[in-house]
Amino acid sequence: RKEVEQDPGPFNVPEGATVAFNCTYSNSASQSFFWYRQDCRKEPKLLMSVYSSGNEDGRFTAQLNRASQYISLLIRDSKLSDSATYLCVYSGAGSYQLTFGKGTKLSVIP
Amino acid sequence: DGGITQSPKYLFRKEGQNVTLSCEQNLNHDAMYWYRQDPGQGLRLIYYSQIVNDFQKGDIAEGYSVSREKKESFPLTVTSAQKNPTAFYLCASSISGDGVTQYFGPGTRLLVL
Protein backbone atom coordinates (compact mmCIF):
# COMPACT_ATOMS: atom_id res chain seq x y z
CA ARG A 1 0.00 0.00 0.00
CA LYS A 2 1.34 3.44 -0.92
CA GLU A 3 2.26 5.60 2.07
CA VAL A 4 0.26 8.57 0.86
CA GLU A 5 -2.46 8.38 -1.74
CA GLN A 6 -4.01 11.34 -3.47
CA ASP A 7 -6.28 11.63 -6.47
CA PRO A 8 -3.93 13.15 -9.08
CA GLY A 9 -6.74 15.02 -10.81
CA PRO A 10 -6.77 17.30 -12.61
CA PHE A 11 -9.71 18.96 -10.98
CA ASN A 12 -11.06 21.58 -13.39
CA VAL A 13 -13.48 23.89 -11.60
CA PRO A 14 -15.04 27.27 -12.43
CA GLU A 15 -14.21 30.37 -10.46
CA GLY A 16 -16.28 30.60 -7.30
CA ALA A 17 -16.72 26.86 -6.96
CA THR A 18 -16.02 24.83 -3.84
CA VAL A 19 -13.59 21.95 -4.27
CA ALA A 20 -12.41 19.28 -1.86
CA PHE A 21 -9.34 17.04 -1.93
CA ASN A 22 -8.82 13.94 0.14
CA CYS A 23 -5.66 12.12 1.03
CA THR A 24 -5.17 8.79 2.79
CA TYR A 25 -2.07 7.72 4.65
CA SER A 26 -0.89 4.29 5.71
CA ASN A 27 1.27 5.03 8.75
CA SER A 28 -1.00 5.04 11.78
CA ALA A 29 1.84 6.48 13.89
CA SER A 30 1.92 9.61 11.78
CA GLN A 31 2.19 12.67 13.94
CA SER A 32 2.01 15.88 11.96
CA PHE A 33 0.09 16.68 8.81
CA PHE A 34 0.35 19.45 6.28
CA TRP A 35 -0.97 20.69 2.98
CA TYR A 36 1.63 22.24 0.69
CA ARG A 37 0.94 24.08 -2.53
CA GLN A 38 3.26 23.76 -5.53
CA ASP A 39 2.99 25.98 -8.58
CA CYS A 40 4.27 24.71 -11.90
CA ARG A 41 8.08 24.40 -11.88
CA LYS A 42 8.31 26.03 -8.46
CA GLU A 43 9.09 24.84 -4.96
CA PRO A 44 6.39 23.59 -2.57
CA LYS A 45 5.12 26.18 -0.11
CA LEU A 46 3.31 25.47 3.12
CA LEU A 47 -0.40 26.14 2.78
CA MET A 48 -1.49 25.03 6.23
CA SER A 49 -0.89 22.53 8.98
CA VAL A 50 -3.71 20.12 9.78
CA TYR A 51 -4.93 19.57 13.32
CA SER A 52 -7.23 16.93 14.75
CA SER A 53 -9.77 19.59 15.65
CA GLY A 54 -9.78 20.89 12.10
CA ASN A 55 -8.56 24.31 11.15
CA GLU A 56 -9.57 27.10 8.85
CA ASP A 57 -7.58 29.83 7.15
CA GLY A 58 -9.77 32.14 5.13
CA ARG A 59 -11.23 30.15 2.25
CA PHE A 60 -9.27 27.03 3.16
CA THR A 61 -10.38 24.39 5.66
CA ALA A 62 -8.35 21.31 6.60
CA GLN A 63 -9.61 18.27 8.48
CA LEU A 64 -7.87 15.24 9.95
CA ASN A 65 -9.56 11.93 10.63
CA ARG A 66 -7.11 9.71 12.50
CA ALA A 67 -9.51 6.79 12.80
CA SER A 68 -9.92 6.56 9.04
CA GLN A 69 -6.40 7.82 8.32
CA TYR A 70 -7.29 10.57 5.93
CA ILE A 71 -6.96 14.30 5.71
CA SER A 72 -8.93 16.70 3.57
CA LEU A 73 -8.64 20.18 2.15
CA LEU A 74 -11.66 22.28 1.25
CA ILE A 75 -11.30 25.40 -0.86
CA ARG A 76 -14.30 27.71 -1.02
CA ASP A 77 -14.94 30.44 -3.60
CA SER A 78 -12.09 29.26 -5.83
CA LYS A 79 -9.90 31.90 -7.44
CA LEU A 80 -7.84 31.67 -10.60
CA SER A 81 -4.76 32.06 -8.39
CA ASP A 82 -5.64 28.83 -6.57
CA SER A 83 -4.58 26.86 -9.66
CA ALA A 84 -1.68 24.70 -8.49
CA THR A 85 -0.82 21.21 -7.32
CA TYR A 86 -1.72 20.48 -3.70
CA LEU A 87 0.55 18.09 -1.82
CA CYS A 88 -0.57 16.03 1.15
CA VAL A 89 2.31 15.62 3.62
CA TYR A 90 2.84 13.90 6.95
CA SER A 91 5.63 13.05 9.34
CA GLY A 92 5.99 10.02 11.58
CA ALA A 93 6.29 10.22 15.32
CA GLY A 94 9.85 11.03 16.36
CA SER A 95 10.91 11.55 12.76
CA TYR A 96 12.40 14.47 10.93
CA GLN A 97 11.30 13.00 7.65
CA LEU A 98 8.26 14.21 5.77
CA THR A 99 6.40 11.91 3.42
CA PHE A 100 4.88 13.58 0.39
CA GLY A 101 1.97 12.54 -1.76
CA LYS A 102 2.24 12.96 -5.51
CA GLY A 103 -0.18 15.85 -5.41
CA THR A 104 -3.58 16.79 -6.77
CA LYS A 105 -3.66 19.26 -9.63
CA LEU A 106 -6.30 21.98 -9.51
CA SER A 107 -7.16 24.23 -12.42
CA VAL A 108 -9.61 27.05 -11.77
CA ILE A 109 -11.24 28.15 -14.98
CA PRO A 110 -12.62 31.66 -15.70
CA ASP B 1 15.19 38.96 4.11
CA GLY B 2 15.49 35.47 5.54
CA GLY B 3 15.21 32.51 3.26
CA ILE B 4 16.77 29.62 1.43
CA THR B 5 18.73 30.06 -1.76
CA GLN B 6 19.76 27.43 -4.25
CA SER B 7 22.12 27.78 -7.14
CA PRO B 8 22.27 27.40 -9.99
CA LYS B 9 18.68 27.42 -11.20
CA TYR B 10 19.60 25.13 -14.11
CA LEU B 11 22.59 22.81 -14.29
CA PHE B 12 23.79 20.61 -17.10
CA ARG B 13 25.88 17.53 -16.48
CA LYS B 14 27.89 15.50 -18.90
CA GLU B 15 28.11 11.74 -18.62
CA GLY B 16 30.57 10.67 -15.92
CA GLN B 17 30.78 14.12 -14.36
CA ASN B 18 30.21 15.05 -10.72
CA VAL B 19 28.25 18.22 -10.08
CA THR B 20 27.54 20.10 -6.86
CA LEU B 21 24.30 21.90 -6.05
CA SER B 22 24.43 24.74 -3.58
CA CYS B 23 21.96 25.36 -0.74
CA GLU B 24 22.27 28.23 1.74
CA GLN B 25 19.87 29.39 4.44
CA ASN B 26 19.89 32.38 6.78
CA LEU B 27 16.91 31.30 8.85
CA ASN B 28 19.12 29.97 11.66
CA HIS B 29 17.55 26.54 11.15
CA ASP B 30 19.40 23.55 12.53
CA ALA B 31 18.00 20.95 10.14
CA MET B 32 18.43 20.85 6.37
CA TYR B 33 17.20 18.42 3.72
CA TRP B 34 17.66 17.48 0.08
CA TYR B 35 14.80 16.11 -2.00
CA ARG B 36 14.46 14.97 -5.56
CA GLN B 37 11.26 15.40 -7.57
CA ASP B 38 10.58 13.62 -10.85
CA PRO B 39 7.68 14.58 -13.14
CA GLY B 40 4.36 13.46 -11.70
CA GLN B 41 6.04 12.08 -8.60
CA GLY B 42 6.17 13.02 -4.96
CA LEU B 43 9.29 14.40 -3.34
CA ARG B 44 11.80 11.76 -2.25
CA LEU B 45 14.34 12.39 0.49
CA ILE B 46 18.00 12.06 -0.48
CA TYR B 47 19.86 13.19 2.65
CA TYR B 48 19.14 15.23 5.74
CA SER B 49 21.17 16.86 8.46
CA GLN B 50 19.93 17.69 11.93
CA ILE B 51 23.07 19.44 13.07
CA VAL B 52 26.43 20.64 11.79
CA ASN B 53 28.92 17.88 10.95
CA ASP B 54 26.22 15.21 10.98
CA PHE B 55 23.93 13.90 8.25
CA GLN B 56 21.77 10.88 7.53
CA LYS B 57 20.81 8.99 4.38
CA GLY B 58 17.27 9.32 3.17
CA ASP B 59 15.36 6.95 0.95
CA ILE B 60 17.42 7.42 -2.23
CA ALA B 61 20.97 8.33 -1.14
CA GLU B 62 22.82 6.13 -3.62
CA GLY B 63 24.86 8.18 -6.08
CA TYR B 64 24.73 11.32 -3.94
CA SER B 65 26.95 12.84 -1.24
CA VAL B 66 26.57 15.80 1.11
CA SER B 67 28.51 17.77 3.68
CA ARG B 68 27.44 20.03 6.56
CA GLU B 69 30.46 22.03 7.63
CA LYS B 70 28.45 25.14 8.40
CA LYS B 71 24.97 25.61 9.80
CA GLU B 72 23.99 27.77 6.85
CA SER B 73 25.17 25.48 4.06
CA PHE B 74 24.26 21.97 2.89
CA PRO B 75 25.72 21.27 -0.59
CA LEU B 76 24.68 18.18 -2.53
CA THR B 77 27.02 16.43 -4.95
CA VAL B 78 25.50 14.31 -7.69
CA THR B 79 28.16 11.77 -8.54
CA SER B 80 28.73 9.80 -11.72
CA ALA B 81 27.33 6.79 -9.85
CA GLN B 82 23.86 8.33 -10.07
CA LYS B 83 22.68 6.84 -13.35
CA ASN B 84 19.48 8.83 -13.72
CA PRO B 85 20.22 12.27 -12.31
CA THR B 86 17.82 14.35 -14.41
CA ALA B 87 15.34 15.78 -11.91
CA PHE B 88 14.26 18.84 -9.93
CA TYR B 89 16.33 19.09 -6.73
CA LEU B 90 14.87 20.86 -3.74
CA CYS B 91 16.61 21.90 -0.56
CA ALA B 92 14.65 22.57 2.62
CA SER B 93 15.32 23.60 6.19
CA SER B 94 13.49 23.53 9.50
CA ILE B 95 13.98 24.27 13.16
CA SER B 96 15.01 21.33 15.29
CA GLY B 97 12.44 18.79 16.27
CA ASP B 98 10.34 16.16 14.61
CA GLY B 99 7.26 16.82 12.60
CA VAL B 100 8.02 20.45 12.10
CA THR B 101 7.35 22.56 9.04
CA GLN B 102 9.99 22.50 6.35
CA TYR B 103 10.65 25.51 4.12
CA PHE B 104 11.94 25.04 0.61
CA GLY B 105 14.40 26.80 -1.64
CA PRO B 106 13.51 27.57 -5.27
CA GLY B 107 15.14 24.38 -6.57
CA THR B 108 17.74 23.41 -9.15
CA ARG B 109 16.87 21.60 -12.38
CA LEU B 110 19.60 19.17 -13.37
CA LEU B 111 19.76 17.94 -16.95
CA VAL B 112 22.12 15.36 -18.37
CA LEU B 113 23.63 16.12 -21.77
Side-chain angles (χ1 to χ4, degrees):
Chain A
R1 180 179 175 184
K2 296 179 182 177
E3 293 195 62
V4 181
E5 294 201 42
Q6 294 185 251
D7 183 339
F11 284 62
N12 299 315
V13 303
E15 274 186 287
T18 295
V19 61
F21 307 137
N22 290 325
C23 161
T24 58
Y25 60 94
S26 60
N27 186 347
S28 59
S30 299
Q31 181 181 43
S32 302
F33 302 86
F34 310 90
W35 283 102
Y36 277 75
R37 169 195 169 127
Q38 186 173 25
D39 293 291
C40 187
R41 303 180 71 82
K42 299 287 188 180
E43 75 274 24
K45 293 184 178 179
L46 178 68
L47 178 65
M48 57 198 307
S49 301
V50 188
Y51 305 114
S52 296
S53 56
N55 48 303
E56 185 174 313
D57 183 4
R59 298 181 292 109
F60 299 85
T61 301
Q63 296 278 354
L64 166 63
N65 185 320
R66 287 190 182 272
S68 301
Q69 294 183 209
Y70 80 82
I71 68 173
S72 64
L73 177 68
L74 181 77
I75 304 175
R76 292 180 298 277
D77 188 23
S78 299
K79 310 292 184 189
L80 295 176
S81 57
D82 294 335
S83 297
T85 296
Y86 291 84
L87 307 177
C88 171
V89 184
Y90 74 84
S91 73
S95 172
Y96 273 65
Q97 296 191 40
L98 296 183
T99 299
F100 287 80
K102 294 180 180 181
T104 298
K105 185 173 181 180
L106 171 67
S107 294
V108 181
I109 303 165
Chain B
D1 291 336
I4 305 174
T5 57
Q6 291 186 242
S7 62
K9 188 173 182 179
Y10 296 95
L11 186 58
F12 300 92
R13 193 190 93 164
K14 295 179 181 179
E15 294 286 346
Q17 186 181 40
N18 293 355
V19 292
T20 297
L21 283 59
S22 168
C23 178
E24 304 279 333
Q25 55 97 1
N26 60 5
L27 300 168
N28 200 32
H29 286 171
D30 288 307
M32 297 186 74
Y33 313 80
W34 274 106
Y35 293 89
R36 168 182 173 141
Q37 187 176 35
D38 294 279
Q41 301 297 314
L43 277 68
R44 292 184 291 169
L45 184 65
I46 304 173
Y47 269 99
Y48 66 101
S49 168
Q50 299 176 23
I51 196 169
V52 175
N53 293 322
D54 185 52
F55 48 83
Q56 309 293 330
K57 291 183 178 180
D59 300 319
I60 55 165
E62 185 175 352
Y64 300 97
S65 65
V66 293
S67 63
R68 188 84 188 278
E69 297 177 0
K70 298 187 300 181
K71 186 175 184 178
E72 302 78 18
S73 179
F74 191 39
L76 173 74
T77 296
V78 184
T79 75
S80 56
Q82 172 49 244
K83 298 305 179 188
N84 186 23
T86 296
F88 187 36
Y89 289 88
L90 290 155
C91 178
S93 69
S94 71
I95 61 173
S96 294
D98 54 348
V100 296
T101 305
Q102 294 180 14
Y103 298 91
F104 287 84
T108 293
R109 292 195 179 275
L110 177 61
L111 299 170
V112 176
L113 300 178

